[in-house]
Amino acid sequence: MSASDPLVLVLGTADWDAAVATNQHRAVAAFARRWPVVFAEGTGTRRLRPGDARRVLRRSLPGALRVTSPRAPRPVPAGAQVLSPRLVPHHGPSTRVLNDRLLHRQVRRWAEHPGPRVLWTYTPFAYGLPALADATAYHLVDLLHENPGVHRERLLAAERCLAPAAGLAVATSAAISAHLHQQGFERVVRLPNVADVGLFAAAAARRTAPREPVAVFAGTLAAHKVDLELLAALARRLRGTARVRLVGPVAPGTTAHPAWRALLAEGAEVVGPLGPRELAAELASAGVGLVPYRLTPLTEGISPLKTYEYLAAGLPVVSTALPAVPALPGAVWTEDGTGPFTGRVLDLLTAPAAERDERALRCGRAAAGHDWASRGAELRAAVEDLLAR
């Protein structure tokens, strides 16, 4: 690395080896194509839950400071380094000074870099690092303050503190864009979530067997986001005709929800997390992709990247009426209410084979251009523009 090259520090909200790949992982890979990158794993935005103790302990042990690809199931791109910050897992007045010192010490390589220093953060808890950066961007993919378990007022205050230092804020939906403007961010661009279109399109192209009568959901199964009652109703309506398959990790507390037991009793199949290629093959064999999110202040800002994963795999998409999921004739349907949602899925799964094949081609064309190759180029251009400013 030349002393004149930028060094990019990405502050994440997720671990590098999280079961589901996010914008954070994709952005690291995009930046690493041109510049060296340090990814600091999430330091948390919510209050600690009992299951977090193991994560905190792992980071506190000797040798836990830096994570490299042999440990993580997700490969670390060439030119990137993963950092597991050892901080007090609490964001508040009582820990601010200590965490400030700890984090600054652990990102010393970035802080002492003689060339341009870029801070690309997914968390507003930046602990004074914007003051050391030549360019700062805040990339917001969820309305973080609407998540259960967070300290809402502290998080909003941290965003307002970050706003004057950020030369750019990136929003994935109109609701998030409006929120950022309200919080004081002056320059906001909207970049909806995209997918690894090529991977899913290739899986669809390799498929030789007929698609199965399966309605699939791919993503984290969290009771506060996913409408489990809706999925149970869908499984009930499809019984004897088709199946519901749920692919992804199950969030803590979800299995204790009453609707979870009802969902399993109706015959829904829980597959668990899959790797990218396995997920692509799973979607390529299914018949309909589901976006069954609850309509809440949190999901108002969600731009589901799974929409383009489904489309790239040739799947028509049926979604609840999320603001960031526009209907697309012949490819994406947004339905308000259990009856219309389940009825649309049933109609799509039982359509004549020729109609389903023609629809799969239309869906694949709809996904074109909504990929991480083009988005990565946009993110790199955004960094160059920030440095130029």
Side-chain angles (χ1 to χ4, degrees):
M1 177 178 60
S2 167
S4 61
D5 289 335
L7 178 57
V8 182
L9 173 62
V10 177
L11 293 185
T13 59
D15 285 351
W16 182 257
D17 57 356
V20 176
T22 67
N23 278 275
Q24 302 164 44
H25 304 94
R26 301 292 194 179
V28 168
F31 294 143
R33 289 175 64 90
R34 184 169 299 173
W35 308 295
V37 181
V38 176
F39 175 73
E41 294 185 304
T43 56
T45 56
R46 54 174 167 74
R47 298 180 177 90
L48 282 180
R49 297 183 302 211
D52 293 330
R54 182 181 302 173
R55 184 174 178 229
V56 173
L57 178 62
R58 174 176 65 81
R59 291 194 178 181
S60 302
L61 294 174
L65 181 60
R66 297 193 182 277
V67 181
T68 54
S69 53
R71 169 194 166 266
R74 178 172 292 107
V76 178
Q81 185 176 28
V82 177
L83 173 73
S84 294
R86 287 183 285 188
L87 304 178
V88 179
H90 172 75
H91 302 288
S94 62
T95 60
R96 185 172 296 126
V97 173
L98 177 59
N99 277 343
D100 189 303
R101 292 175 179 172
L102 289 171
L103 186 57
H104 282 234
R105 183 183 305 161
Q106 292 171 76
V107 299
R108 184 177 298 163
R109 176 196 169 205
W110 174 82
E112 296 178 352
H113 178 60
R117 294 181 293 273
V118 177
L119 177 64
W120 193 280
T121 182
Y122 291 87
T123 171
F125 298 116
Y127 287 106
L129 293 180
L132 304 179
D134 296 287
T136 298
Y138 182 39
H139 195 161
L140 189 58
V141 300
D142 281 315
L143 293 170
L144 294 176
H145 62 285
E146 297 290 359
N147 273 302
V150 304
H151 196 298
R152 179 188 178 94
E153 292 308 317
R154 284 181 187 165
L155 202 148
L156 290 173
E159 287 185 338
R160 290 191 293 270
C161 184
L162 178 62
L168 174 69
V170 179
T172 55
S173 69
I176 292 177
S177 179
H179 167 75
L180 289 169
H181 281 296
Q182 184 178 9
Q183 288 291 86
F185 292 87
E186 292 187 1
R187 184 165 171 251
V188 180
V189 298
R190 194 191 312 172
L191 297 176
N193 283 334
V194 292
D196 190 351
V197 169
L199 175 69
F200 292 91
R206 289 193 299 269
R207 181 184 59 84
T208 56
R211 290 182 180 268
E212 300 178 29
V214 168
V216 63
F217 169 78
T220 301
L221 289 155
H224 70 279
K225 290 172 66 174
V226 177
D227 192 335
L228 301 179
E229 293 89 350
L230 176 62
L231 286 176
L234 176 63
R236 186 181 312 118
R237 187 159 186 180
L238 296 183
R239 186 185 288 274
T241 302
R243 293 172 290 141
V244 173
R245 283 172 68 82
L246 310 173
V247 182
V250 180
T254 298
T255 57
H257 196 284
W260 179 260
R261 293 189 290 274
L263 177 59
L264 298 184
E266 295 294 347
E269 303 169 1
V270 181
V271 178
L274 296 177
R277 294 186 181 278
E278 292 76 15
L279 175 60
E282 177 80 25
L283 298 189
S285 67
V288 173
L290 305 174
V291 186
Y293 284 149
R294 300 182 184 278
L295 303 182
T296 68
L298 171 63
T299 60
E300 181 184 355
I302 285 180
S303 170
L305 65 84
K306 61 181 60 64
T307 302
Y308 291 110
E309 292 178 343
Y310 294 152
L311 291 173
L315 293 181
V317 179
V318 181
S319 173
T320 50
L322 297 175
V325 181
L328 184 62
V332 179
W333 285 262
T334 59
E335 303 292 354
D336 191 3
T338 300
F341 186 97
T342 59
R344 179 67 65 185
V345 174
L346 182 61
D347 289 346
L348 291 171
L349 287 173
T350 57
E355 182 179 329
R356 291 191 310 241
D357 290 343
E358 191 279 331
R359 185 179 293 119
L361 295 174
R362 186 185 305 123
C363 291
R365 290 192 294 267
H370 300 277
D371 58 81
W372 265 103
S374 56
R375 179 52 46 79
E378 290 178 298
L379 295 185
R380 291 190 295 271
V383 168
E384 291 176 338
D385 181 65
L386 275 173
L387 290 173
R389 287 169 181 263

